Amino acid sequence: MITQDSYSISFLEKAKSFFELLKFRLSFLVAFSCGFGYILGSHGVIDWVHFASICFGGFLVSGASISINQIIEKDLDLLMTRTMNRPLPTKRITVNEAAAFAFTTGSIGILILALNTNMLTTLLSVLSMVLYSFVYTPLKRVGPIAVFVGAIPGALPPLLGWTAATGYISLEALIIFGIQFIWQFPHFWAIAWVADEDYKKAGFKLLPSGGKKDLNTAIQIMIYTLFLIPFGLLPAKFGITGIDSAIVVTVCGVLFLSQTFALMKNGTRKSAMRIMFGSFLYLPIVQIAYLLDKL
């Protein structure tokens, strides 16, 4: 006999599963990056309706993209320890339910952007979803080219915010896109190094240098991290932000870079984890520094 209490529990469990499907923290970071780009592009004149629209629309489009990714990889997720407890592998959500959720979430997100921002921002958001869900996802089993492709939608959120505020792509917009684009490489490769054994179970090939955890891969991680230091100074150079954020970004860049030397020296999982956590800290700290300098 199904009681009201059991129905409520079932409903709550299902809702929790859908919440897990959109990966709130990752989608929230996308929304934050959209808002970051909007504030930089608005030059101090913030339309709060537009601001809320780009953040919430970006959040929903991100959640839809991540959901599609999990639908496509449901059988592969079952093979990996880090993903085997996701909603689809555990059958807490069916494929049809996940597809309906992704379609609804993505459609609402795109509609919000279309009605409250502009055509350029809406088209870029659709491009981001297509690249992440239908190009990057299958390429993960092909080779490290997937990291390059995945870095594009990964770096689009601040650009979306900028175009929502201005209606066009400028040099300044490409600079903030470029910073997040370059950041993707040490971020992705550090995760791939840490999760290498799991990734091999699913046939994912994300590490460079033939997929090996060796000195060549560690050097490439170091080089891209090194590039973040001069790139991080470009917003100050072009008047997007000021000298205060340039100092913060330089310090963060040097600290981030220092983590890569240990990986080159010993090649341990522990060193890769430090880079991974460093990458998670670097981006929000840098973006907050830019925002505080701008405001």
Side-chain angles (χ1 to χ4, degrees), residues 22-67:
L22 58 76
K23 291 188 181 179
F24 178 83
R25 284 183 294 180
L26 180 55
S27 294
F28 176 80
L29 288 175
V30 170
F32 180 84
S33 291
C34 288
F36 158 75
Y38 181 88
I39 291 174
L40 288 189
S42 66
H43 302 294
V45 182
I46 300 175
D47 183 323
W48 292 107
V49 173
H50 285 175
F51 176 80
S53 298
I54 186 62
C55 291
F56 189 51
F59 176 87
L60 292 177
V61 170
S62 173
S65 301
I66 292 167
S67 299

Side-chain angles (χ1 to χ4, degrees), residues 162-218:
W162 184 283
T163 60
T166 65
Y168 59 88
I169 298 175
S170 63
L171 175 61
E172 293 88 348
L174 293 176
I175 288 172
I176 61 173
F177 169 85
I179 293 170
Q180 195 150 319
F181 179 79
I182 292 175
W183 168 83
Q184 302 279 326
F185 290 89
H187 173 71
F188 267 119
W189 286 334
I191 293 174
W193 190 299
V194 171
D196 184 57
E197 296 303 317
D198 246 3
Y199 278 1
K200 283 180 179 177
K201 296 175 186 175
F204 292 163
K205 304 171 183 178
L206 298 180
L207 287 172
S209 302
K212 297 178 181 178
K213 297 189 293 183
D214 57 13
L215 180 60
N216 288 332
T217 294

Side-chain angles (χ1 to χ4, degrees), residues 12 40 149 154 181 241 261 273 278 284:
L12 290 174
L40 288 189
V149 174
F181 179 79
T241 58
F261 298 141
M273 286 188 69

Side-chain angles (χ1 to χ4, degrees), residues 107-180:
S107 297
I108 294 173
I110 293 169
L111 182 62
I112 289 172
L113 295 174
L115 294 177
N116 295 285
T117 60
N118 52 60
M119 183 59 68
L120 176 59
T121 303
T122 305
L123 290 175
L124 286 174
S125 70
V126 173
L127 174 64
S128 176
M129 180 186 293
V130 170
L131 283 177
Y132 183 85
S133 302
F134 302 110
V135 184
Y136 161 71
T137 296
L139 280 178
K140 287 163 70 175
R141 303 188 76 195
V142 174
I145 184 65
V147 176
F148 176 84
V149 174
I152 298 173
L156 277 175
L159 182 63
L160 291 172
W162 184 283
T163 60
T166 65
Y168 59 88
I169 298 175
S170 63
L171 175 61
E172 293 88 348
L174 293 176
I175 288 172
I176 61 173
F177 169 85
I179 293 170
Q180 195 150 319

